[in-house]
Amino acid sequence: MSRSRIVIVGAGFAGYQTARTLSRKLRGAAEIVLVNPNDYFLYLPLLPEVSAGLLEARRVSVSLAGTLPKVRLVLGEVHGVDLDGRSITYTDPEGTEKSLGYDRLVLTVGSVNKLLPIPGVAEHAVGFRGMPEALYLRDHISRQVALAANAEDPEECRARTTFVVVGAGYTGTEVAAHGKMFTDSLARQHARSAAGMRADARPRWMLLDIADRVLPGLDEKLAQTAGRVLRKRGVEVRTGTSVKEATKDGVLLNTGEFVPTRSLIWCVGVRPDPLVEQLGLPTEKGRLIVDEYLNVPGHPDVFACGDAAAVPDLTNPGQYTAMTAQHAHRQGKTAANNIMASYGVGTRRPYKHSDLGFVVDLGGVQAAANPFGIPLSGPIANLVTRGYHLAAMPGNRIRVAADWALDAVLRRQAVQLGVLDAWSVPLDTASPETARLRG
C-alpha cells in the first residue's frame, strides 16, 4: 500500500468525503491524489444564498488543502481515462495537458446543467451548478434592478424587474424564495435614492414547472409549505407550465403567454458529467453503472459514486439512489472503506442508506423540513435547516453563522463586482464550476 496511488477525480460531496476518510484512516500509508479544477469544496446547498447576497462566496467554499491533510491536490480538469493503462489525462489551469497514473481510481465527477431542446434556452438562460453562475447571477440581479430604477419606459422597467425561474425542484425553489427577498430589498434601497423607483416596478418572480406542484418527488407536506410561503411572499408559482422558446427580450410559455424579461434562470435538473460518456462503459440514464460496493463491473481498481454513478438502492430494490448530496456524502465514506478493503484492510461493505429527510431554506425565518419524517415549517424548520447545514459543512461554520447573524440586523449589501459576464457562464458547459475565459 505504501507504493500505491489512489486518484480521486472531483471534489464534490462524494470526492471530498472519499479523500477525507482515506486521509484519516490511511495516515500516509498510500498516496492520495485529488484532481479538481478548483482548490475548494463547494457546499452547493447554500449557493442560492450567495446569489441573493446573503452569504459571501468564500463562506461556502472550503479549502481543500486546508482541510484535507496528507492529500495531494492537483488542479486540473480531467478529460480522459485510460482504463487499460491505468492513467488519466487532464488539463491544468494554464492549459497544459498532463497525465497521471493510478493504482485505484475513484470517479466522482458529479453533474452539470440538464439541457432540453428548447429554442433559445442555451443562448439566453443561466444555470445554477457552480460558483461562477451564482456570482454572475448576483451581479445580474443587482444590475437589472438598478437599470430599472432609471428606465423611462415602463415596459422596459417591468421587463428588467421580472425574473423567471424554470424548475421548481430543490434548487429552483430556494433560488426563487431568496431571490424575491433580495430584489425587494434592492427595490427599497433604490426607492430611497434621488432617482426613486417607479411605483409599478415591484420585482416580479415567476417559478415554473411542468409538474403539478413545487418540489415534485419530495414529501407532499414539504411541497405544500414551500408553495404557501412562496405565494405569500409574492412569487408567482405556475405549475403545469414550461418554456416553449426564449429570446433576449423574454420567454414564450407553453400556454401561449409571452413574458418580457431579461432574466431566465435554469434549474430544471442535472445530468452526469460528460466525462462518463467518454469512458465507453455501461450506463443508466447517463450515469456510470456500479455494483453495490461502488465498483465498476470488470474493473476492480475503479470505483465511482455521487451524481455520476448509478448506485443500486438496496432500500428500494430495482431502483438507483437519487442524485442528492446526502447520498453522495455517504457513498464517499463507503467508497473509502471499500478501497481500503481492496488492499486487505478491513472488509468491504455494500452501500445502503435510507433518506433521513430533506430541508428547504425559504429565506428569512421560513423553511420546510422533515427530519426523520417529522414535518416542520416556519422558524422551527429554519432552525433545523440551518443547524443541519452547519453540521454538514466541513469548514467555515463560524463564518457562515456570523453572516446569518449580521443579515438579521444589517441591511443586505448589493454591489456589483463586475468580474463575470453572461459569456463567461454558458448554460451548455461541461465545467460549471469554472468560468469561461476569453482567449
Side-chain angles (χ1 to χ4, degrees):
M1 183 182 291
S2 63
R3 294 189 298 273
S4 291
R5 174 184 290 164
I6 304 169
V7 174
I8 304 166
V9 180
F13 278 91
Y16 183 91
Q17 196 58 41
T18 302
R20 189 180 193 183
T21 303
L22 286 173
S23 68
R24 288 178 171 179
K25 292 187 175 182
L26 292 181
R27 299 181 180 180
E31 182 185 12
I32 306 170
V33 182
L34 180 60
V35 185
N36 196 60
N38 301 308
D39 64 350
Y40 61 83
F41 159 76
L42 175 62
Y43 190 74
L44 197 60
L46 291 182
L47 205 57
E49 299 188 25
V50 174
S51 66
L54 176 58
L55 292 178
E56 289 302 317
R58 287 189 299 173
R59 303 294 187 260
V60 301
S61 307
V62 179
S63 169
L64 295 175
T67 58
L68 294 176
K70 299 183 177 12
V71 174
R72 173 185 163 198
L73 174 62
V74 173
L75 293 180
E77 185 173 344
V78 175
H79 53 76
V81 179
D82 182 357
L83 296 172
D84 295 327
R86 303 176 80 176
S87 68
I88 64 170
T89 54
Y90 66 95
T91 303
D92 71 13
E94 295 184 343
T96 303
E97 185 172 308
K98 299 179 179 180
S99 63
L100 185 67
Y102 66 82
D103 294 288
R104 298 290 188 276
L105 175 65
V106 189
L107 295 171
T108 58
V109 289
S111 54
V112 299
N113 292 305
K114 182 179 180 181
L115 301 178
L116 297 177
I118 300 176
V121 166
E123 295 79 13
H124 302 291
V126 59
F128 206 82
R129 288 300 298 167
M131 184 64 75
E133 293 166 325
L135 292 177
Y136 165 75
L137 188 58
R138 184 173 68 179
D139 274 8
H140 173 80
I141 291 173
S142 300
R143 186 180 307 115
Q144 294 306 310
V145 175
L147 291 172
N150 290 281
E152 297 181 358
D153 181 5
E155 294 299 323
E156 178 189 351
C157 181
R158 279 190 285 271
R160 293 192 182 280
T161 53
T162 297
F163 304 87
V164 179
V165 181
V166 184
Y170 183 91
T171 301
T173 297
E174 290 200 335
V175 167
H178 283 281
K180 185 62 167 66
M181 294 186 67
F182 184 36
T183 53
D184 285 350
S185 174
L186 293 176
R188 288 193 296 270
Q189 292 178 35
H190 283 284
R192 290 192 293 266
S193 69
M197 191 83 179
R198 297 184 61 91
D200 57 354
R202 188 170 185 264
R204 177 191 185 192
W205 281 77
M206 300 177 65
L207 179 60
L208 315 178
D209 201 293
I210 198 65
D212 59 356
R213 63 179 174 89
V214 300
L215 300 176
L218 296 186
D219 182 83
E220 189 170 351
K221 291 184 178 179
L222 278 182
Q224 291 175 353
T225 298
R228 183 175 64 253
V229 171
L230 289 171
R231 291 184 175 92
K232 185 176 180 180
R233 192 167 291 165
V235 177
E236 297 179 34
V237 180
R238 303 276 192 96
T239 57
T241 306
S242 63
V243 172
K244 187 176 181 180
E245 183 180 0
T247 70
K248 65 181 182 63
D249 297 316
V251 294
L252 176 64
L253 306 183
N254 62 345
T255 59
E257 178 185 359
F258 184 81
V259 180
T261 180
R262 303 292 191 273
S263 309
L264 178 59
I265 307 167
W266 195 252
C267 302
V268 298
V270 296
R271 58 190 171 98
D273 190 286
L275 178 66
V276 174
E277 298 179 3
Q278 302 173 19
L279 299 176
L281 296 173
T283 60
E284 171 65 28
K285 295 183 178 179
R287 302 168 72 186
L288 184 62
I289 290 180
V290 298
D291 60 22
E292 65 270 29
Y293 300 100
L294 307 181
N295 256 136
V296 176
H299 298 275
D301 56 339
V302 181
F303 297 77
C305 53
D307 286 359
V311 179
D313 188 351
L314 299 184
T315 66
N316 192 7
Q319 302 297 319
Y320 296 96
T321 58
M323 300 167 71
T324 65
Q326 190 176 139
H327 278 301
H329 175 87
R330 287 164 175 78
Q331 287 169 8
K333 289 185 176 180
T334 301
N337 174 82
N338 292 345
I339 289 170
M340 294 175 61
S342 71
Y343 286 109
V345 180
T347 57
R348 68 175 188 163
R349 61 173 181 260
Y351 175 75
K352 185 177 182 180
H353 170 68
S354 298
D355 287 328
L356 301 177
F358 292 89
V359 294
V360 182
D361 190 341
L362 300 173
V365 297
Q366 296 298 323
N370 64 341
F372 305 104
I374 303 173
L376 301 174
S377 62
I380 295 178
N382 179 262
L383 183 63
V384 170
T385 297
R386 290 190 166 181
Y388 170 80
H389 288 315
L390 290 178
M393 290 189 70
N396 296 350
R397 296 186 183 95
I398 295 177
R399 290 185 172 92
V400 169
D403 272 9
W404 283 337
L406 290 173
D407 180 71
V409 296
L410 298 178
R411 183 184 303 169
R412 190 170 303 192
Q413 288 184 313
V415 294
Q416 302 168 43
L417 302 180
V419 294
L420 297 171
D421 57 18
W423 184 89
S424 302
V425 288
L427 182 66
D428 187 5
T429 176
S431 304
E433 69 275 15
T434 305
R436 183 167 63 171
L437 302 178
R438 299 185 186 276

